[in-house]
């Protein structure tokens, strides 16, 4: 499979750590030093659908793929305003895609975009490309009275168009996913609840082991990896994983400071920025990795075609 176009969108409204410190018992210093977050986009009227639509349109435009080619739409989200119809169904309608389509949402929290990418890789064919999206309005389900979680999250969406590889060349690709039923350390009912320290430990351990697994499955050496795009939850999680892997931080694309944790949207927003800023070049060896509620984890290795 190949990623042939990416796009992203974020609400216009930006809230800084300093602004949060005016409405709750926190500080810019605490948030910045514990997480690396400086500001986040927060929806004021935007919805999961409107953000997903903007990101999907940008990805379609970047890919040059005619919309008639899209046969699969997968949306990863935990914060869609409606339970039914799915975000994917509404995107099919609003993008004017064919109704002869497989369109569904999936819930793997912050690993959602990785899960969607892996699903798409199994469903595409030369006549059937996939649109995959991660879109979240987490501000809708964040408890602003809980400083343990409310300073961490942001809103946004990212999208990618997935095409089959050119039959004349083999594009290296490997993946791993895991799911551990755990409804205690990170779960959502009306609001997001999290035991930060437990999730932190889990995230570092799984980021390291899953990077090693996809490398082993693809028979690629760690030194040959050009860029790692990980779920943007906490700078210290990525720094710890980098230390354990023996990789410099420069190999990790980071945009957490400006977005906070946008759950399923974080990986595709980062991927889109990395592509648009020229960090991902043809032939580059890339690892994309996520971790989060479920608990779920997933990683993909691919060579950028
Ligand atoms: O995307 C899903 C995956 N989620 C994650 O990856 C999150 C993983 N976890 C983390 O990122 C970190 O655990 C946090 C950033 C959530 C918390 O950092 P920490 O270093 O683990 O802090 P802590 O939870 O151990 O809290 C330390 C102290 C506590 O005070 P006491 O008990 O030591 O007096 C908290 O009450 O910091 C306090 N605290 C705050 N202080 C100021 C917690 N939240 C805040 C806050 N502002 N917003």
């Amino acid at each position: 499979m190949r990623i042939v176009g990416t796009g992203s969108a974020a609400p216009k409204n930006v809230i800084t750590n300093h602004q949060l410190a005016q409405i709750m018992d926190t500080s810019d210093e605490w948030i910045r030093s514990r997480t690396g977050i400086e500001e986040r986009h927060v929806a004021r009227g935007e919805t999961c659908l409107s953000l997903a639509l903007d990101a999907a349109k940008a990805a379609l435009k970047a890919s040059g793929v005619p919309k008639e080619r899209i046969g699969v739409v997968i949306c990863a989200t935990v914060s869609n305003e409606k339970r039914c119809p799915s975000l994917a169904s509404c995107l099919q309608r609003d993008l004017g895609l064919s109704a002869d389509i497989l369109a569904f949402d999936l819930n793997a929290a912050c690993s959602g975009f990785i899960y969607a990418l892996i699903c798409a890789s199994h469903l595409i064919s030369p006549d059937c490309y996939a649109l995959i999206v991660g879109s979240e309005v987490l501000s809708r389900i964040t408890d602003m009275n809980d400083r343990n979680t409310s300073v961490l999250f942001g809103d946004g969406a990212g999208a990618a168009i997935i095409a089959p590889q050119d039959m004349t060349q083999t594009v290296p690709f490997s993946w791993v996913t895991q799911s551990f039923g755990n409804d205690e350390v990170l779960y959502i009912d009306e609001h997001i609840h999290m035991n930060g320290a437990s999730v932190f430990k889990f995230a570092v351990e799984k980021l390291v082991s899953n990077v090693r697994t996809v490398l082993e499955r693809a028979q690629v050496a760690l030194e040959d990896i050009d860029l790692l795009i990980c779920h943007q939850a906490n700078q210290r999680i990525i720094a710890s994983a980098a230390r354990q892997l023996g990789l410099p931080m420069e190999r990790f694309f980071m945009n957490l400071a400006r977005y906070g944790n946008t759950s399923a949207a974080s990986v595709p927003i980062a991927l889109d920025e990395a592509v648009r800023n020229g960090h991902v070049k043809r032939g580059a060896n890339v690892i994309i990795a996520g971790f989060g509620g479920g608990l779920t984890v997933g990683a993909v290795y691919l060579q950028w075609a």
Side-chain angles (χ1 to χ4, degrees):
M1 64 132 220
R2 295 174 298 148
I3 298 175
V4 294
T6 61
S8 60
K12 286 192 187 66
N13 175 46
V14 171
I15 301 212
T16 64
N17 293 345
H18 294 289
Q19 285 170 289
L20 283 180
Q22 285 167 8
I23 56 167
M24 67 176 75
D25 181 16
T26 190
S27 65
D28 174 59
E29 202 283 326
W30 192 95
I31 302 170
R32 206 184 278 253
S33 62
R34 298 284 176 137
T35 70
I37 299 166
E38 295 172 18
E39 58 188 32
R40 70 285 292 141
H41 295 257
V42 176
R44 291 276 182 276
E46 294 93 343
T47 62
C48 272
L49 178 59
S50 70
L51 293 168
L53 196 55
D54 288 347
K57 282 180 182 166
L60 273 168
K61 189 169 175 205
S63 71
V65 169
K67 59 186 183 184
E68 294 69 31
R69 264 259 169 70
I70 303 295
V72 175
V73 179
I74 309 173
C75 292
T77 183
V78 292
S79 57
N80 192 28
E81 291 78 13
K82 294 194 181 87
R83 266 190 213 172
C84 186
S86 69
L87 186 53
S89 283
C90 294
L91 263 191
Q92 173 274 331
R93 175 196 65 206
D94 290 353
L95 287 168
L97 303 179
S98 162
D100 298 330
I101 202 172
L102 177 60
F104 63 95
D105 291 358
L106 70 77
N107 173 349
C110 311
S111 311
F113 188 80
I114 316 285
Y115 275 48
L117 186 57
I118 294 161
C119 288
S121 75
H122 289 86
L123 293 168
I124 50 175
S125 68
D127 304 321
C128 174
Y129 289 19
L131 162 65
I132 61 171
V133 179
S135 183
E136 302 284 14
V137 177
L138 297 174
S139 56
R140 210 175 59 74
I141 54 169
T142 303
D143 178 1
M144 289 311 283
N145 295 314
D146 177 8
R147 67 174 183 171
N148 289 300
T149 53
S150 56
V151 302
L152 305 174
F153 298 106
D155 302 336
I161 307 297
I162 314 300
Q165 66 187 35
D166 179 345
M167 288 308 173
T168 58
Q169 56 166 165
T170 308
V171 182
F173 172 63
S174 68
W175 58 272
V176 60
T177 54
Q178 288 179 298
S179 179
F180 307 87
N182 181 319
D183 52 12
E184 286 173 6
V185 301
L186 175 50
Y187 65 94
I188 303 172
D189 45 28
E190 196 187 336
H191 293 126
I192 303 171
H193 305 268
M194 183 170 70
N195 176 330
S198 301
V199 178
F200 191 108
K201 194 164 161 273
F202 168 82
V204 175
E205 186 190 313
K206 290 299 172 189
L207 256 187
V208 171
S209 62
N210 283 337
V211 165
R212 291 194 173 126
T213 301
V214 288
L215 289 173
E216 196 182 307
R217 290 184 179 172
Q219 292 290 292
V220 174
L222 183 60
E223 307 77 73
D224 294 333
I225 295 300
D226 298 296
L227 191 69
L228 294 98
I229 299 172
C230 301
H231 170 46
Q232 305 285 301
N234 187 319
Q235 172 113 15
R236 286 161 50 226
I237 290 178
I238 296 179
S240 289
R243 258 195 313 279
Q244 289 186 33
L245 287 164
L247 284 175
M249 272 305 275
E250 295 71 55
R251 298 273 179 93
F252 291 80
F253 184 83
M254 299 295 300
N255 65 2
L256 170 75
R258 288 177 289 113
Y259 289 94
N261 179 345
T262 58
S263 192
S266 106
V267 166
I269 292 173
L271 176 66
D272 180 49
E273 286 200 349
V275 169
R276 283 191 290 112
N277 297 343
H279 290 279
V280 191
K281 304 220 162 54
R282 204 187 164 112
N285 287 307
V286 179
I287 289 178
I288 305 174
F291 50 85
L295 295 169
T296 55
V297 286
V300 162
Y301 155 77
L302 53 90
Q303 200 173 75
W304 203 259

